[in-house]
Amino acid sequence: MQENFECCGITTPDDWSADAGAAVWWIKVTGGNHENDVPDSCCKDISEDCGAGYAVPYDENDESPYDNKIYADGCYDKAVDWAMDKSYDHGYLWYHFHRLLKLLTECFALCLRSAE
């Protein structure tokens, strides 16, 4: 997901830190080795351990707090935007499919009526 949406964490890459408490399972499974790391899927150019040390709070005074190596945007807003775009697309298609089905039904009814 992070790789496809070009994002990291729920709201920021800091969500992956041990202090944020959102990545407890990931940190525990890896033996506590990633308390200040983000997954490699957060990296713009993925390589082994490219996310090491980047689960740090965002400093607005720092021009490039993540050295432009990882995605700084969180995934929540991007996922919501994606879902909304898809729902509009599907809603639009469903509406027109329904209208086409109604038109075909009316034609079928007229054909049956004229056959009598």
Side-chain angles (χ1 to χ4, degrees), residues 2-15:
Q2 295 177 137
E3 202 174 336
N4 292 333
F5 286 147
E6 297 182 348
C7 58
C8 187
I10 299 167
T11 55
T12 66
D14 184 35
D15 293 333

Side-chain angles (χ1 to χ4, degrees), residues 49-65:
D49 293 330
C50 61
Y54 284 106
V56 293
Y58 181 81
D59 181 5
E60 293 180 11
N61 297 324
D62 189 352
E63 290 182 15
S64 67

Side-chain angles (χ1 to χ4, degrees), residues 35-82:
E35 291 186 4
N36 294 314
D37 302 341
V38 297
D40 293 340
S41 59
C42 288
C43 299
K44 292 182 179 181
D45 293 315
I46 295 178
S47 62
E48 188 173 343
D49 293 330
C50 61
Y54 284 106
V56 293
Y58 181 81
D59 181 5
E60 293 180 11
N61 297 324
D62 189 352
E63 290 182 15
S64 67
Y66 304 118
D67 298 327
N68 208 21
K69 292 184 179 182
I70 65 168
Y71 300 113
D73 297 328
C75 296
Y76 179 78
D77 289 335
K78 289 192 173 204
V80 168
D81 290 344
W82 178 85

